[in-house]
Amino acid sequence: MIEMVSHGLANLEVTLKHSGSLFMYAGHHGGAYAKNSYGNVYTAVGVFVLGRLFREAWGKEAPKMQAEFNDFLERNRISISMELVTAVLGDHGQRPKDDYAVVTAVTELGHGKPKFYSTPEVIAFCRKWRLPTNHVWLFSTRKSASSFFAAYDALCEEGTATPVCKALDEIADISVPGSKDHVKVQGEILEGLVARIVTRESSVQMEEVLRKFPQPPLDGVDSDLGPSLREICAANRSDEKQQIKALLDNVGASMCPDHSDWFGNSGLDAQSRNADRSVVTKFLQAHPTDYATKKLQEMIRLMKQRHFSAAFKCYWNYQKIDSLSNDNLYYKMVIHVHNDSVFRRYQQEMRKNQGLWPLYRGFFVDVNLFKATNKKAAELAKDGDALLKNINGALDSNSSAVDGLADEDSNLMVKLKFLTYKLRTFLIRNGLSTLFKDGPSAYRTYYLRQMKNWGTSPSKQKELSKMLDEWAAYIRRKYGNKPLSSSTYLSEAEPFLEQYAKRSPSNQALIGAAGNLVQTENFLAILDAERDEEGDLRVEHGAAPSSPVSTSVDVVPKTEGLIVFFPGIPGCAKSALCKEILNTPGGLGDNRPLHSLMGDLIKGKYWQKVADERKKKPARIILADKNAPNEEVWRQIEDMCGSTKAAAVPVVPDSEGTDSNPFSLDALAVFMFRVLQRVNHPGNLDKSSPNAGYVLLMFYHLYDGKCRREFENELYERFGSLVKMPLLRPDRAPLPDAVKTVLDEGISLFRLHQNRHGRVEPSKGSYAKEWARWEQRLRVTLFGNADYLNSIQVPFESAVKEVLEQLKAVAKGDIKTPDTGKRKFGNIMFAAVRLTPADIVGLLRKVSEKDTAVNTFLNETKLEDSLTKAHVTLAHKRGHGVAALASYGIYQHQEVPVSFNALYYTDKMAALEAQLGAVNGEQITSRNEWPHATLWTAPGVTPKEANMLPQLASEGKATRVPIEPPITISGVLDFY
């Protein structure tokens, strides 16, 4: 992102992320929608809040403007997306002070690809209709964009709304305040920021919009708006339908004249609105009468062909009930994407086919299926062909204007969340089920894993662990085994957090804000007083809390155990590998005993048996000889690690994988070939098994939805290490077409069977004959290519040797957790030029050669032995502010020359006076009044006191030794 801004190709746009729910509105007849649903209390609340915003903005004119707005949206085929923030739909981060909504997107369908309005266009649209807009910041230079990310790093673990907005206002090239002040309507707890790439013209467009469209007045803000959302919901508590009716009645007929989406029509209630599943098939077979329909068919067809994890639910469109007939049917289709990986896979398809329409979360389509007379069909075909020619002509002249992936960079977006929000939502709310179902130990494992995945600093991990353990004990003592509702958890959490924050300034910084007593002004002042400007020189007191997995080096103490497990597929040679490990003299290189548990020989719940064995002899190494294919199993292993003091290491067959599976078809073919050569297998999965191919396909699909990198990253993040077992030769020939074909056929058949029958055995489903024929073809094909399948495998002896070496390294602590490719966010405190101690020692020796007093001082203090790090501080968050600190972001990791022209020392401290050089022609300056590198302080003396050395020297209380000529040393600028 920064590179694109620095080259003038784009701007960086940042908006606030309010803690709410997605609400979409396309006019009364267009419909109101939540993320994946409609016709429920969520959408009724959304319509009410939107209607109330009109009353607040337009006063007496509100009914007229509501009707005009509905008409405008429907006539122009426009939908608006809003962040709906309320206290009545369940707790989310922080209970808002007011119920409100903020427009986040405006989409126009038109006659081509859906057009999303740019942010300047959204602001112009909203100011015309007096709708609330979000706070927006634009960064149009490399320096400001770099400063933004540095500011986030400085605030990510302690940031709340006031300091975050203040810092971004100071850094941004353009700042456009939102219509709703986050602090006044939501509170201080800020969910996060959304940063995305926008066109380089956005700055000019934004300035023009702000000139043309000033902030509109609110004519009804002081008038009686009627009962509030909370009052209506409180007065109608009998059931959901009563609440919905009260909300819709109150919002008025000009905003919502028809309630059929919620209550049905013509004798049909909302419960009978589900349409037949065959609607989707009929829709794909129908002749499209317009371009939008053609592109939607193309999208859905591709998703079904690729077996993307998504549902296509169809409902009767009650607003069209009077027009229904056997030859004229109206539906609403909801496209519900189940897994985030679908979006990544779909984007890959878009790169191959630039004519595809984008896929969105929260996708609703109005469908009209009708039978046309021959004459009408000819007219529609003619009209459709003319429309396609017009659009194709536009595509030829400007391929990015109407269709296709116009600019892939426009999809670049990153969500940046704050720890003060995450501790409430992810660590407290989302951990409730684990805490009440599995107990405090499992809860501790859960929250430690979350913090590790986020890259939370060790000091914050320690503070949060103490707080969360106390929370767990408090809420379990109060509620016993009765779970606390996640929708109202803040009623208990906020008072607890408020009391916890009162105990100390550090607790207040950790919590951010809670209750009414922790005010922002007090928080900032206390936070400033709590930090030592140069406390960074001292090693952090206390380590991160103990965890099943170390965050740096995976050392397994000899008093603890080790679980070796296998996220694999039958045929991956795990049982053979376990036998080899057991027979290896010396085991894994230490004295801990080895024990193997073969899944095929264990009766009952396998992982419970492993847990029982762990409790009996916690110090031994267990080889869990069973496939561990999914996150549920991995979570059980993590829980075992936490409860029985063990580490765990996954052993996986090495494979390139595919776009959607960590195992390639080559690997699957080898696994199947091995299984079909087995005889007398304890688990009855061998050559005599009639459905062996089906079983392996079932295991293969348990990994579906993750590419290889995602698969490995998740294992790294959960367990801290990963052992790869060599499987395929890198110089192998491509998979024969016959093998690839039979595997593709099996995968297609498996998906058909799964969609219709779930996990029913293949012999009992409607595809029984197809399965029998395919199993036979599989055997013929694989054994017909036996020479190839044998030749591409790494020799087993070689694979065992490599695995043993890796496992021994893990047991000894010689393996470090690999980089998962994720950006690490840290709570940075200061910017500095880091210097190499050896260079500083060399400088001091040169000075001491010319000055015997300096030589004596160095010998007496043994400074050379104690100097392990040195730096010149440029700015500190406490003393200089976040914006000043972030301004060095553009120079991060750059080499900076530093000239030293004097040594100052007393019997209590020593420092070098520094003069900073330039980077790429730009002078680097320190915000400190006296730039220096502190070298040594006596016990009891803080590094910050070195700032007094020039004054002490002027008073004759410190020695100043000039360095002539100055000596220059290069260091690296970074954040710490």
Side-chain angles (χ1 to χ4, degrees):
M1 284 185 167
I2 293 175
E3 288 302 314
M4 295 190 64
V5 175
S6 66
H7 290 112
L9 300 175
N11 288 341
L12 181 68
E13 178 187 281
V14 176
T15 55
L16 288 180
K17 176 68 177 76
H18 295 254
S19 297
S21 307
L22 176 63
F23 171 65
M24 292 167 286
Y25 188 71
H28 168 62
H29 292 101
Y33 306 93
K35 184 161 67 174
N36 291 304
S37 63
Y38 79 102
N40 51 28
V41 71
Y42 291 92
T43 54
V45 167
V47 170
F48 175 85
V49 170
L50 181 58
R52 193 176 179 87
L53 289 172
F54 268 90
R55 292 184 193 177
E56 184 182 83
W58 294 97
K60 295 179 180 179
E61 293 289 306
K64 173 190 170 188
M65 297 310 299
Q66 287 171 342
E68 287 185 14
F69 183 66
N70 277 317
D71 181 64
F72 179 83
L73 294 184
E74 293 169 21
R75 195 165 13 95
N76 293 280
R77 306 179 79 188
I78 289 174
S79 69
I80 60 171
S81 298
M82 313 182 80
E83 195 75 47
L84 178 63
V85 185
T86 82
V88 304
L89 295 177
D91 289 338
H92 185 180
Q94 182 185 34
R95 198 169 288 167
K97 298 177 181 179
D98 196 6
D99 302 304
Y100 67 99
V102 171
V103 176
T104 54
V106 178
T107 316
E108 185 178 309
L109 181 57
H111 295 290
K113 174 181 156 185
K115 176 199 171 186
F116 277 85
Y117 283 19
S118 67
T119 299
E121 290 172 330
V122 170
I123 291 176
F125 175 90
C126 289
R127 290 190 173 181
K128 173 186 174 182
W129 291 102
R130 300 187 185 179
L131 293 172
T133 54
N134 206 346
H135 200 143
V136 181
W137 294 271
L138 276 175
F139 303 85
S140 54
T141 65
R142 180 183 178 88
K143 184 171 184 178
S144 64
S146 302
S147 296
F148 161 71
F149 285 107
Y152 173 74
D153 276 354
L155 291 164
C156 64
E157 292 191 345
E158 295 176 347
T160 53
T162 294
V164 168
C165 293
K166 180 177 181 291
L168 297 193
D169 283 343
E170 294 175 11
I171 295 167
D173 298 300
I174 296 178
S175 174
V176 184
S179 309
K180 299 286 186 181
D181 185 323
H182 192 286
V183 175
K184 292 180 180 178
V185 292
Q186 170 84 66
E188 275 294 342
I189 299 304
L190 177 60
E191 178 171 340
L193 302 167
V194 178
R196 67 188 186 109
I197 287 294
V198 294
T199 63
R200 61 179 180 271
E201 295 84 11
S202 57
S203 298
V204 176
Q205 294 169 353
M206 183 69 78
E207 290 172 345
E208 184 179 347
V209 164
L210 296 178
R211 281 195 304 270
K212 286 185 177 180
F213 299 92
Q215 192 71 262
L218 297 176
D219 295 341
V221 70
D222 296 322
S223 60
D224 181 10
L225 302 178
S228 70
L229 173 65
R230 300 180 192 192
E231 289 170 341
I232 293 173
C233 289
N236 296 273
R237 303 289 293 173
S238 62
D239 60 39
E240 183 177 316
K241 282 189 176 183
Q242 183 186 359
Q243 277 191 343
I244 292 172
K245 186 176 187 306
L247 289 168
L248 298 179
D249 287 344
N250 190 275
V251 81
S254 59
M255 187 70 195
C256 188
D258 184 349
H259 301 177
S260 60
D261 273 357
W262 290 272
F263 300 111
N265 202 337
S266 299
L268 295 173
D269 62 23
Q271 299 301 318
S272 61
R273 66 183 179 180
N274 288 9
D276 190 271
R277 285 187 177 185
S278 64
V279 171
V280 177
T281 302
K282 293 174 182 175
F283 171 71
L284 293 177
Q285 294 171 346
H287 177 79
T289 61
D290 61 16
Y291 186 69
T293 304
K294 175 180 181 293
K295 301 308 291 183
L296 284 165
Q297 286 176 322
E298 184 179 20
M299 171 195 291
I300 295 170
R301 191 173 290 116
L302 175 99
M303 293 177 70
K304 284 189 159 292
Q305 288 172 348
R306 297 290 186 272
H307 303 284
F308 289 168
S309 181
F312 304 90
K313 299 178 182 177
C314 291
Y315 306 91
W316 293 106
N317 187 344
Y318 285 120
Q319 295 191 12
K320 302 283 189 179
I321 200 76
D322 294 333
S323 303
L324 280 179
S325 69
N326 290 335
D327 295 336
N328 194 34
L329 304 175
Y330 292 88
Y331 303 97
K332 287 181 181 288
M333 182 190 296
V334 182
I335 301 175
H336 181 189
V337 176
H338 293 146
N339 195 310
D340 284 347
S341 64
V342 171
F343 292 103
R344 292 189 292 273
R345 294 169 63 189
Y346 191 85
Q347 283 184 341
Q348 292 170 353
E349 296 292 337
M350 290 178 72
R351 294 187 185 102
K352 301 173 189 174
N353 178 4
Q354 295 193 4
L356 279 174
W357 271 12
L359 176 65
Y360 308 108
R361 190 184 296 282
F363 209 136
F364 300 85
V365 184
D366 283 342
V367 177
N368 176 205
L369 292 176
F370 60 93
K371 289 183 180 180
T373 62
N374 292 336
K375 180 180 178 182
K376 182 67 174 176
E379 290 174 359
L380 290 171
K382 184 179 179 181
D383 293 343
D385 290 341
L387 179 60
L388 291 179
K389 286 178 181 178
N390 290 336
I391 293 174
N392 289 333
L395 286 174
D396 293 338
S397 61
N398 183 2
S399 61
S400 65
V402 178
D403 205 5
L405 195 59
D407 183 1
E408 188 173 331
D409 299 317
S410 67
N411 293 317
L412 291 176
M413 178 185 292
V414 60
K415 293 181 180 179
L416 307 168
K417 298 197 176 185
F418 292 96
L419 187 60
T420 50
Y421 164 82
K422 292 194 288 188
L423 78 88
R424 287 162 167 81
T425 300
F426 299 111
L427 300 185
I428 293 180
R429 187 191 71 177
N430 292 3
L432 287 173
S433 60
T434 299
L435 174 60
F436 281 95
K437 181 182 177 182
D438 302 319
S441 177
Y443 176 58
R444 182 175 174 82
T445 300
Y446 164 79
Y447 72 66
L448 286 173
R449 180 174 67 244
Q450 289 288 83
M451 289 191 285
K452 180 187 174 183
N453 289 348
W454 297 335
T456 307
S457 65
S459 61
K460 285 297 178 188
Q461 287 195 47
K462 183 179 180 182
E463 291 178 53
L464 282 170
S465 294
K466 180 182 176 183
M467 187 272 287
L468 292 169
D469 285 346
E470 190 170 322
W471 156 255
Y474 163 78
I475 203 65
R476 282 292 296 265
R477 186 166 58 248
K478 185 170 183 178
Y479 277 74
N481 293 322
K482 180 183 177 182
L484 175 64
S485 170
S486 62
S487 62
T488 57
Y489 77 103
L490 285 175
S491 296
E492 293 291 350
E494 278 297 322
F496 170 84
L497 294 173
E498 182 180 1
Q499 293 301 315
Y500 193 87
K502 287 180 181 179
R503 298 182 199 169
S504 70
S506 61
N507 282 6
Q508 290 195 15
L510 179 72
I511 301 304
N516 297 318
L517 300 179
V518 186
Q519 300 297 327
T520 303
E521 294 79 11
N522 295 334
F523 163 75
L524 291 175
I526 293 170
L527 178 60
D528 286 355
E530 184 72 3
R531 302 297 187 192
D532 179 8
E533 185 173 328
E534 289 204 52
D536 50 83
L537 289 179
R538 294 195 290 271
V539 178
E540 273 191 351
H541 297 292
S546 60
S547 166
V549 183
S550 168
T551 57
S552 56
V553 180
D554 300 302
V555 183
V556 183
K558 299 301 178 286
T559 57
E560 298 185 0
L562 179 66
I563 302 171
V564 180
F565 69 101
F566 302 88
I569 293 175
C572 66
K574 63 185 179 306
S575 297
L577 175 63
C578 288
K579 289 180 182 178
E580 292 295 328
I581 295 173
L582 285 173
N583 294 329
T584 299
L588 297 185
D590 55 27
N591 296 323
R592 284 176 296 177
L594 286 163
H595 181 59
S596 179
L597 289 172
M598 189 175 186
D600 295 316
L601 300 177
I602 301 294
K603 294 182 179 179
K605 295 182 178 180
Y606 176 82
W607 294 107
Q608 184 58 53
K609 177 69 174 176
V610 174
D612 294 341
E613 291 296 318
R614 289 279 316 118
K615 291 173 184 176
K616 290 178 186 176
K617 296 183 178 180
R620 70 179 173 183
I621 297 171
I622 286 187
L623 306 178
D625 182 6
K626 183 178 178 65
N627 289 301
N630 54 34
E631 295 173 15
E632 182 182 348
V633 172
W634 302 346
R635 197 174 298 116
Q636 290 183 58
I637 295 170
E638 286 178 302
D639 293 343
M640 261 186 273
C641 289
S643 60
T644 65
K645 292 186 178 180
V649 54
V651 179
V652 300
D654 202 1
S655 170
E656 301 92 341
T658 69
D659 290 342
S660 59
N661 198 294
F663 298 104
S664 65
L665 290 181
D666 307 51
L668 179 60
V670 167
F671 297 151
M672 287 180 166
F673 183 59
R674 289 174 175 177
V675 166
L676 292 174
Q677 293 179 89
R678 291 173 176 174
V679 290
N680 299 322
H681 183 259
N684 297 318
L685 185 61
D686 51 33
K687 63 188 298 182
S688 62
S689 172
N691 60 347
Y694 167 82
V695 172
L696 268 82
L697 287 173
M698 182 178 66
F699 272 94
Y700 184 74
H701 279 81
L702 290 175
Y703 298 93
D704 207 31
K706 285 189 177 74
C707 68
R708 186 69 183 193
R709 182 170 181 80
E710 292 167 335
F711 171 69
E712 291 186 356
N713 282 355
E714 183 164 356
L715 288 169
Y716 280 138
E717 289 165 2
R718 286 176 180 270
F719 302 102
S721 59
L722 181 67
V723 170
K724 296 183 181 182
M725 183 175 182
L727 174 66
L728 303 173
R729 294 182 184 273
D731 57 348
R732 65 187 182 277
L735 193 67
D737 289 341
V739 177
K740 184 177 184 304
T741 299
V742 78
L743 292 179
D744 286 339
E745 289 173 352
I747 289 171
S748 297
L749 183 57
F750 178 85
R751 287 169 175 165
L752 286 171
H753 175 88
Q754 189 180 48
N755 289 339
R756 177 170 292 187
H757 302 294
R759 300 191 67 176
V760 172
E761 290 183 19
S763 61
K764 297 179 180 178
S766 55
Y767 300 103
K769 292 181 180 178
E770 287 84 349
W771 275 118
R773 288 194 291 266
W774 178 80
E775 291 278 1
Q776 184 59 36
R777 280 200 310 278
L778 176 69
R779 288 157 173 74
V780 170
T781 303
L782 293 183
F783 287 114
N785 289 273
D787 291 343
Y788 168 82
L789 293 171
N790 284 320
S791 70
I792 64 173
Q793 299 181 48
V794 172
F796 181 66
E797 297 76 12
S798 174
V800 170
K801 182 179 178 182
E802 283 200 39
V803 170
L804 277 170
E805 289 175 355
Q806 294 176 70
L807 285 174
K808 287 178 180 179
V810 171
K812 292 178 182 177
D814 293 339
I815 286 183
K816 293 187 178 181
T817 304
D819 180 12
T820 62
K822 289 188 176 181
R823 182 175 186 270
K824 296 290 193 293
F825 298 110
N827 184 28
I828 62 175
M829 297 302 297
F830 68 102
V833 177
R834 181 70 68 179
L835 303 160
T836 304
D839 291 339
I840 298 294
V841 169
L843 179 153
L844 293 173
R845 286 176 179 169
K846 289 180 181 179
V847 175
S848 66
E849 289 171 0
K850 299 178 182 180
D851 192 311
T852 55
V854 171
N855 187 55
T856 301
F857 171 77
L858 295 177
N859 289 331
E860 289 178 349
T861 59
K862 297 183 179 179
L863 192 151
E864 291 186 12
D865 296 332
S866 63
L867 185 67
T868 58
K869 54 185 178 181
H871 68 262
V872 178
T873 298
L874 302 176
H876 200 282
K877 184 163 68 172
R878 184 199 69 81
H880 306 104
V882 173
L885 177 64
S887 66
Y888 295 96
I890 189 173
Y891 310 113
Q892 190 176 14
H893 304 316
Q894 297 291 312
E895 197 169 275
V896 181
V898 183
S899 294
F900 295 101
N901 49 33
L903 169 68
Y904 288 76
Y905 67 91
T906 69
D907 60 345
K908 295 182 179 179
M909 53 192 157
L912 287 168
E913 186 173 78
Q915 183 173 343
L916 297 156
V919 174
N920 298 325
E922 295 187 45
Q923 181 65 41
I924 303 298
T925 57
S926 173
R927 302 297 177 111
N928 278 345
E929 188 176 337
W930 182 56
H932 65 280
T934 303
L935 305 178
W936 169 81
T937 59
V941 179
T942 63
K944 185 178 179 179
E945 293 180 49
N947 283 291
M948 300 298 295
L949 281 169
Q951 181 180 335
L952 293 174
S954 67
E955 297 170 355
K957 298 178 181 178
T959 302
R960 181 182 188 275
V961 181
I963 301 175
E964 297 177 348
I967 297 176
T968 300
I969 295 174
S970 289
V972 176
L973 193 156
D974 212 339
F975 294 107
Y976 302 93

